[in-house]
Every structure is written in C-alpha cells, then in structure tokens.
Amino acid sequence: MKSGKILVVDIEATCWEGRNPPGQENDIIEVGVCLLDVDTGEISANRGILVIPERSQISKFCTQLTSITPGLIEDEGIYFDDACDILEREYDAVNRVWASYGDYDRNQFQRQCSETRLAYPFGPSHINVKTMFAQKRRMKHSVGMASALEMLKLPLEGTHHRGVDDAKNIAKILRWVLNN
C-alpha cells in the first residue's frame, strides 16, 4: 500500500428532481480526483474526468446542480470503462488508500461497476472524510462539504458539485483532519 499519498475522489452522477424516471439509472458523469500528500499536505494531480452516461440522460436538474451539460459530455466525455482505466493506470487506485466525502461515491462506483460488469478500480482501503470530520469535531451529526469548509474557515474553491473542484475541497478537509 502506498502510504505517502491518498487519492481523493468526488463523483457527479446523473440525477433528477425526485425519483429516477423509468428506464434511467444513475450514471457517473464526472470523476474528480486529486492526490493529497500525507507528509507535506500538498494537493496535486487535480483532474476532472468527464464520463459519457450509458444508461441515462443528463436532466436539466442535473445540469443546474453540476453545471455539466450534455454538450460538454459530447465534447470531452469518455466511457466509464476508460475512466476506470485512468484511475488504475494513472492514479494506481487499486494500490492506494482513497477517500471521499461520505459513502455515496464508494457505493455508486461499486454499484455501477457491478451493473456494468467492470472491475472495481479501487483497493479496499477507503476513508470516509465526512464521518472523520464529524468525529474529529466531536459533532453529533455530520455536515455537508460546504459546511465543513465554512466551519474550518476555508474557501470553497471552484464550482460546488463539480467533481474536479470538490475533490480538491475534500482534500483540504482531509488535510485538516489528519493534522489536528
């Protein structure tokens, strides 16, 4: 296991106001990643991997939430299996401890890999930053990422609900958790 750097991941997926419409499955449409150096606190290799949804369409609600449009995906998106390959090849995800804010990202990746019969790209060591932050602050209930940043007096950089930006913001919270 590589201990020096933690892979921080934040995904965005197709979503709708209320229940999923018939025939529409939640698909990952962005994988935001960065590396947090445990020793130095440096955040590097920040990237957003846009993913073509194969089992659903991007709704107007989803675009309003994430700012990801169908046109952006058409221009820059890759298939989910190719995104998983990038995580394995360029980020060595299977051999690294990885982190996300809550369990949604881990559960969605597991579900989508299982449903599409793809190998899960991550190793078994996952850090739930949301839970760790709440424990570290001795809070009765966990809070969202934006609230956690606010409590730490750290700016929310970029666009909230964009994986590329949220991964970096989560890394800042994790850095605080590990150093306090």
Side-chain angles (χ1 to χ4, degrees), residues 7-26:
L7 178 61
V8 180
V9 175
D10 183 75
I11 64 164
E12 304 304 328
T14 51
C15 55
W16 301 268
E17 213 164 2
R19 293 179 181 255
N20 294 17
Q24 302 277 309
E25 297 290 331
N26 297 95

Side-chain angles (χ1 to χ4, degrees), residues 23-27 53-57 108 112 115-116:
Q24 302 277 309
E25 297 290 331
N26 297 95
D27 277 318
E54 298 176 60
R55 305 170 305 158
S56 62
Q57 312 248 316
Q108 177 63 31
Q112 191 162 334
E115 290 170 357
T116 58

Side-chain angles (χ1 to χ4, degrees), residues 1-3 5-9 92-100 106 110 120-128:
M1 232 7 112
K2 293 185 178 182
S3 61
K5 293 184 180 177
I6 296 171
L7 178 61
V8 180
V9 175
D92 198 21
V94 75
N95 294 310
R96 238 184 249 285
V97 173
W98 73 287
S100 63
R106 183 176 55 81
Q110 288 175 337
Y120 184 64
F122 300 104
S125 300
H126 175 260
I127 297 170
N128 181 329

Side-chain angles (χ1 to χ4, degrees), residues 79-106:
Y79 288 105
F80 181 63
D81 61 337
D82 295 326
C84 290
D85 286 344
I86 289 171
L87 291 170
E88 292 173 12
R89 196 176 58 252
E90 296 181 29
Y91 291 89
D92 198 21
V94 75
N95 294 310
R96 238 184 249 285
V97 173
W98 73 287
S100 63
Y101 203 81
D103 279 328
Y104 173 79
D105 305 73
R106 183 176 55 81

Side-chain angles (χ1 to χ4, degrees), residues 111-151:
R111 184 171 41 254
Q112 191 162 334
C113 285
S114 173
E115 290 170 357
T116 58
R117 294 180 171 80
L118 289 173
Y120 184 64
F122 300 104
S125 300
H126 175 260
I127 297 170
N128 181 329
V129 179
K130 186 177 193 175
T131 300
M132 281 184 74
F133 177 76
Q135 290 171 341
K136 195 72 149 179
R137 294 290 300 240
R138 293 183 173 85
M139 299 163 59
K140 288 185 178 174
H141 304 286
S142 57
V143 296
M145 183 202 74
S147 296
L149 288 168
E150 197 173 295
M151 291 171 76

